[in-house]
């Protein structure tokens, strides 16, 4: 072969190989691109945009984070349906699964007269059977519906403490909804009265653990106000309400807004209640308040549908006539207006003046009452003195009145109504004149001024003029300064630690030497009348068990009777004899028997009513004077341990000596008539 032919053949071979290689490369690229596009389009159409597709020769590589194992498998299946499954390479990953947070454990309990129902989620490790049993004891004979579910997760912190408080609230509130989780308790309930509402709220707040968030919404029925009264006045002390009543929140806002425009400052209490004479009460009250402002002073009194407008004695007649005319024409048809432009009134206050007859009654802070001034006849004098003694105490009244047959015919009504009004204040004075009744005083009850205005408006009549200037002093409010149950127990404990109470041997008679101790306990109990306590009697083991039980009961009752003889309210005290039970010392020694012969004052507020839940106090001989009773977890337990107050056995003591205070009401030095301090 010629060299040229060889070269030609070699060149043709090289060119052919090159062309074949180029064609192969083009074919592979075309296959890669087609496979990649086909798989990507198929995945996109099926909702797997998260999958990334890349070709590598004939292989198709899938990568990306698959939402789940199932989604990864579906992506592989889709890719395998577009190209040979052997060509699909799986480089997809699945993110680590997030730790599932534990569920929110919570319970919602509904209680009414038909029973108790529970719904919610509780931890598996919690004592469900114990919870259901406790709720069953609270329900009594009513039905308990258990709709609780459980979940196997750790018990949250504070769960047991919060659940214990929720059960306490459930026992207190017969008509309620209680929602709780580990950190919060929400209580919605209905009370039968405002007093019950306040008492429940006080107990719940005191019992609530500090670690939880507490929400309380206890509603009470609206009080029935009769007569429905509003009294607004402007005098030298400014604008104020002596009484304010409304039948809904919108009406109350309208009344207070009108009073504010008339000069009222600060916060006022306007009671929402039942008994309104007409739906347009707020409109009528607004008109009356505006009339007083237009007069420049005076008072307006609404007693049901009777309206009395009293101007200042300095009001010009023309202005008075104009304001009265406008008010009379604008008032709703139901309301009847009485208008008074009084003559100048001078209140002497001594009851001795000759120009204007007066009746004056003075109540001192010690509770002593003096009656001065004029009464129409002997029958009224007897009635006034009897009425005063009934209200203030038989030994607290000093009469110094004189007779005047020329007094107005309504004088008896004015005198008796004034005495009743005086009984509502802590201390003060009332002055009765033919044209006015004036009462001034101090009180610890913020509602007394309203009550006095309501009383005088009803007793004196719609057209009568009266003045109420009663000042509220927080220091006189008995509910704000009363000691707590624990403080009551601690005070009695301190008295008994100083000197014990003893009984005569084998007797229920309190020894005379213990009278001073009983007196001190009685003084403490005067401020603890609302605290429930049990006077528990115990004996040693000498003698028959039945006799010891009877003796302990008699001794406990003797202590109760001794307190009653000192005018202590005993409705919250109970006397129970336990005989030889619960010894606190060894009955084999004389000292031990002496320690076991004892009387204990034990707090009952919060103690479960179920006998099987009661826990007896345990004490050592060294602490025989004050043991501590631990209350059940789900009962009416007070906060922490409830201190008991223990004493040795005590005896009947004479009544407290009469009070011999200063003779502040004696009219002259020759006839002093001191009076004992009354029981009020």
């Amino acid at each position: 072969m010629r060299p040229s032919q060889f070269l030609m053949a070699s060149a043709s071979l090289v060119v052919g190989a090159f062309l074949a290689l180029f064609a192969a490369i083009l074919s592979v690229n075309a296959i890669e691109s087609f496979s990649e596009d086909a798989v990507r389009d198929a995945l996109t159409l099926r909702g797997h945009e998260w999958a990334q597709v890349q070709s590598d020769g004939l292989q198709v590589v899938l990568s990306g984070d698959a939402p789940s194992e199932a989604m990864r498998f579906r992506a592989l299946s889709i890719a395998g349906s577009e190209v040979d499954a052997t060509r699909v390479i799986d480089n997809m990953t699945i993110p680590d699964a997030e730790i599932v947070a534990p569920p929110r454990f919570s319970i919602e309990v509904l209680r009414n007269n038909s029973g108790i129902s529970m719904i919610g989620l509780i931890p598996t490790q919690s004592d469900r059977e114990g919870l259901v049993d406790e709720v069953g004891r609270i329900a009594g004979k009513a039905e308990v519906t258990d709709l609780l579910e459980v979940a196997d997760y750790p018990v949250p912190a504070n769960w047991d403490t919060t659940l214990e408080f929720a059960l306490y609230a459930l026992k207190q509130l017969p008509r309620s909804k209680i929602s709780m989780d580990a950190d919060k308790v929400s209580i919605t309930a209905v009370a039968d009265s405002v007093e019950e509402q306040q008492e429940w709220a006080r107990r719940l707040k005191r019992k609530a653990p500090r670690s939880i968030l507490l929400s309380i919404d206890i509603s009470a029925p609206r009080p029935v106000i009769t007569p429905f009264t509003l009294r607004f006045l402007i005098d030298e002390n400014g604008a104020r309400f002596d009484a304010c009543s409304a039948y809904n929140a919108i009406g109350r806002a309208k009344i207070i807004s009108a009073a504010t425009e008339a000069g009222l400052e600060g916060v006022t209490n306007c009671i929402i209640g039942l008994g309104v004479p007409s739906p347009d009460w707020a409109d009528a009250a607004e008109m009356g308040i505006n009339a007083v402002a237009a007069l420049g002073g005076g008072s307006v009194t609404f007693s049901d549908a009777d309206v009395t407008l009293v101007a200042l004695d300095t009001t010009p007649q023309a202005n008075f006539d104009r304001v009265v005319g406008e008010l009379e024409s604008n008032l709703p048809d139901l309301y009847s207006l009485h208008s008074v432009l009084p003559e100048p009134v001078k209140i002497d206050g001594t009851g001795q003046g000759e120009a204007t007859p007066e009746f004056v009654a003075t109540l001192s802070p010690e509770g002593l009452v003096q009656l001065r001034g004029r009464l129409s006849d002997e029958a009224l004098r007897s009635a006034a003195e009897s009425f005063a003694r009934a209200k203030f105490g038989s030994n607290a009244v000093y009469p110094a009145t004189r007779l005047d047959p020329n007094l107005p015919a309504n004088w008896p009504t004015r005198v008796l109504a004034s005495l009743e009004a005086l009984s509502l204040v802590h201390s003060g004075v009332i002055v009765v004149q033919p044209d006015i009744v004036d009462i001034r005083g101090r009180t610890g009850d913020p509602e007394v001024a309203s009550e006095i205005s309501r009383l005088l408006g009803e007793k004196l009549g719609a057209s009568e003029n009266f003045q109420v200037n009663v000042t509220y002093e927080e220091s006189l409010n008995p509910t704000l300064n009363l000691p707590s149950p624990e403080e009551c127990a601690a005070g009695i404990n301190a008295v008994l630690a100083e000197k014990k109470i003893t009984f005569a041997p084998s007797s229920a008679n309190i020894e005379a030497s213990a009278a001073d101790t009983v007196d001190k306990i009685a003084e403490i109990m005067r401020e603890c009348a609302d605290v429930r306590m049990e006077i528990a009697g115990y004996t040693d083991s000498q003698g028959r068990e039945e006799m010891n039980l009877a003796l302990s009961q008699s001794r406990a009752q003797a202590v109760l009777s001794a307190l009653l003889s000192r005018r202590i309210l005993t409705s919250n005290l109970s006397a129970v004899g336990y005989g030889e039970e619960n010894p606190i010392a060894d009955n084999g020694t004389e000292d031990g028997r002496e320690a076991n012969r004892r009387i204990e004052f034990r707090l009952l507020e919060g103690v479960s009513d179920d006998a099987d839940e009661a826990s007896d106090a345990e004490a050592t001989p060294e602490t025989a004077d004050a043991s501590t009773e631990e209350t059940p977890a789900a009962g009416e337990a007070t906060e922490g341990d409830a201190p008991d107050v223990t004493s040795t056995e005590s005896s009947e003591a004479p009544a407290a000596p009469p009070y011999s205070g200063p003779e502040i009401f004696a009219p002259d030095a020759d006839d002093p008539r001191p009076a004992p301090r009354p029981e009020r």
Side-chain angles (χ1 to χ4, degrees):
M1 182 180 292
R2 296 177 181 179
S4 60
Q5 293 177 337
F6 178 77
L7 291 173
M8 184 67 71
S10 299
S12 298
L13 183 61
V14 171
V15 171
F18 178 76
L19 291 174
L21 178 61
F22 181 73
I25 293 173
L26 290 177
S27 299
V28 169
N29 288 337
I31 293 172
E32 286 182 350
S33 178
F34 175 78
S35 299
E36 182 176 332
D37 291 342
V39 172
R40 182 180 292 110
D41 291 344
L43 290 172
T44 301
L45 289 173
R46 303 287 184 86
H48 297 278
E49 294 89 348
W50 54 268
Q52 301 174 10
V53 182
Q54 186 177 4
S55 60
D56 184 8
L58 296 177
Q59 295 179 332
V60 177
V61 181
L62 300 182
S63 60
D65 294 332
S68 65
E69 180 63 31
M71 298 292 280
R72 185 188 70 83
F73 180 76
R74 291 185 190 132
L76 286 174
S77 299
I78 293 170
S81 66
E82 297 296 327
V83 299
D84 188 353
T86 60
R87 294 168 52 195
V88 179
I89 305 301
D90 180 11
N91 282 344
M92 294 178 290
T93 60
I94 301 176
D96 294 336
E98 296 182 0
I99 299 176
V100 179
R104 175 179 173 268
F105 292 112
S106 64
I107 302 175
E108 184 170 283
V109 186
L110 299 175
R111 182 183 181 189
N112 53 36
N113 294 333
S114 61
I116 299 176
S117 62
M118 298 184 294
I119 186 171
L121 183 68
I122 63 175
T124 303
Q125 299 177 10
S126 62
D127 185 5
R128 178 174 181 172
E129 292 184 1
L131 172 61
V132 174
D133 289 344
E134 178 60 32
V135 173
R137 283 192 290 270
I138 294 173
K141 297 181 180 180
E143 182 181 357
V144 176
T145 303
D146 178 11
L147 300 176
L148 295 175
E149 300 289 342
V150 296
D152 191 9
Y153 285 88
V155 178
N158 298 327
W159 175 262
D160 292 335
T161 301
T162 308
L163 179 59
E164 177 183 343
F165 172 71
L167 290 174
Y168 170 81
L170 182 66
K171 180 163 186 171
Q172 300 293 312
L173 311 173
R175 290 171 292 171
S176 60
K177 181 182 78 172
I178 301 173
S179 303
M180 62 151 289
D181 57 25
D183 303 313
K184 181 180 178 181
V185 175
S186 297
I187 299 173
T188 304
V190 178
D192 291 330
S193 65
V194 175
E195 292 75 14
E196 188 176 57
Q197 174 194 37
Q198 295 172 347
E199 175 64 16
W200 282 351
R202 181 184 67 83
R203 289 187 182 183
L204 292 172
K205 290 177 181 178
R206 189 178 64 190
K207 176 65 177 177
R210 295 183 178 180
S211 59
I212 69 170
L213 179 63
L214 177 62
S215 173
I216 300 177
D217 181 11
I218 302 177
S219 59
R222 295 180 181 179
V224 177
I225 302 174
T226 177
F228 214 77
T229 305
L230 182 144
R231 178 173 168 83
F232 178 79
L233 66 158
I234 301 176
D235 57 15
E236 65 276 7
N237 297 319
R240 70 180 188 274
F241 281 104
D242 279 344
C244 183
S245 305
Y247 72 97
N248 60 22
I250 296 175
R252 177 173 62 182
K254 179 180 289 189
I255 292 171
I256 294 177
S257 176
T260 302
E261 292 182 4
L264 178 69
E265 297 180 354
V267 179
T268 190
N269 182 26
C270 197
I271 301 173
I272 296 179
L274 303 176
V276 65
S278 72
D280 45 17
W281 169 268
D283 296 329
E286 182 181 25
M287 296 175 191
I289 293 171
N290 293 338
V292 175
L295 289 172
S299 67
V300 63
T301 304
F302 287 77
S303 180
D304 287 335
D306 292 321
V307 184
T308 302
L309 179 67
V310 181
L312 298 176
D313 55 22
T314 57
T315 303
Q317 184 69 50
N319 188 31
F320 176 76
D321 293 339
R322 177 182 60 82
V323 172
V324 169
E326 292 176 353
L327 179 60
E328 194 166 21
S329 61
N330 291 332
L331 279 173
D333 293 338
L334 177 67
Y335 294 87
S336 174
L337 176 64
H338 307 273
S339 56
V340 179
L341 180 57
E343 296 293 331
V345 174
K346 179 181 179 181
I347 298 178
D348 181 65
T350 64
Q352 305 300 321
E354 295 297 333
T356 303
E358 286 184 338
F359 170 80
V360 181
T362 305
L363 172 63
S364 75
E366 293 79 16
L368 304 177
V369 176
Q370 186 181 55
L371 308 181
R372 306 190 306 274
R374 306 187 194 186
L375 296 174
S376 55
D377 52 37
E378 192 63 45
L380 178 57
R381 173 186 281 175
S382 177
E385 293 178 9
S386 298
F387 188 81
R389 289 191 173 95
K391 288 292 184 180
F392 303 102
S394 58
N395 295 321
V397 178
Y398 177 82
T401 58
R402 60 191 176 110
L403 301 182
D404 182 354
N406 298 319
L407 294 173
N410 63 351
W411 199 257
T413 301
R414 301 169 74 83
V415 167
L416 296 179
S418 300
L419 288 174
E420 186 173 356
L422 185 64
S423 70
L424 299 177
V425 300
H426 176 267
S427 60
V429 59
I430 56 106
V431 178
V432 177
Q433 290 187 359
D435 296 325
I436 194 170
V437 172
D438 181 85
I439 177 168
R440 302 173 185 271
R442 302 157 60 230
T443 179
D445 184 350
E447 303 299 330
V448 159
S450 297
E451 190 173 350
I452 291 175
S453 297
R454 191 173 296 114
L455 169 69
L456 295 180
E458 180 182 18
K459 300 291 186 181
L460 301 182
S463 61
E464 295 296 329
N465 185 19
F466 59 88
Q467 298 177 171
V468 180
N469 190 358
V470 174
T471 304
Y472 169 69
E473 296 183 12
E474 188 174 289
S475 60
L476 300 177
N477 192 330
T479 62
L480 298 180
N481 299 311
L482 290 180
S484 67
E486 291 77 13
E487 291 172 337
C488 292
I492 296 176
N493 185 32
V495 170
L496 294 172
E498 180 181 351
K499 183 178 180 182
K500 297 180 180 181
I501 303 173
T502 57
F503 285 98
S506 301
S507 170
N509 295 325
I510 302 175
E511 293 183 340
S513 60
D516 184 58
T517 301
V518 178
D519 288 341
K520 292 180 180 179
I521 294 176
E523 285 300 317
I524 296 174
M525 289 301 300
R526 293 186 196 282
E527 296 184 341
C528 301
D530 294 331
V531 179
R532 294 177 58 228
M533 287 190 184
E534 177 186 86
I535 304 175
Y538 294 93
T539 66
D540 58 28
S541 61
Q542 301 295 307
R544 288 188 300 166
E545 182 176 350
E546 295 82 359
M547 293 183 61
N548 287 335
L549 184 63
L551 180 60
S552 64
Q553 176 66 45
S554 298
R555 288 175 169 174
Q557 187 63 45
V559 176
L560 181 64
S561 299
L563 294 174
L564 182 61
S565 70
R566 287 159 173 78
R567 295 186 177 183
I568 299 301
L569 296 177
T570 58
S571 58
N572 285 320
L573 296 178
S574 59
V576 180
Y578 291 95
E580 304 172 10
E581 293 184 15
N582 307 318
I584 60 174
D586 184 7
N587 275 310
T589 66
E590 181 57 36
D591 290 341
R593 289 191 294 273
E594 174 63 24
N596 290 331
R597 294 191 296 268
R598 67 194 190 277
I599 291 289
E600 294 181 357
F601 280 73
R602 183 177 303 162
L603 285 179
L604 288 181
E605 183 171 353
V607 177
S608 171
D609 294 331
D610 298 326
D612 58 348
E613 292 180 1
S615 63
D616 295 317
E618 300 217 359
T620 61
E622 293 77 16
T623 60
D625 291 344
S627 61
T628 301
E629 181 182 32
E630 185 154 343
T631 55
E636 299 178 351
T638 56
E639 288 184 275
D641 293 334
D644 292 348
V645 186
T646 311
S647 80
T648 56
E649 305 168 30
S650 49
S651 66
E652 194 81 37
Y659 172 79
S660 56
E663 302 169 1
I664 59 173
F665 289 146
D668 55 64
D670 298 329
D671 185 23
R673 300 169 87 170
R677 182 172 182 170
E679 178 65 20
R680 299 184 62 208

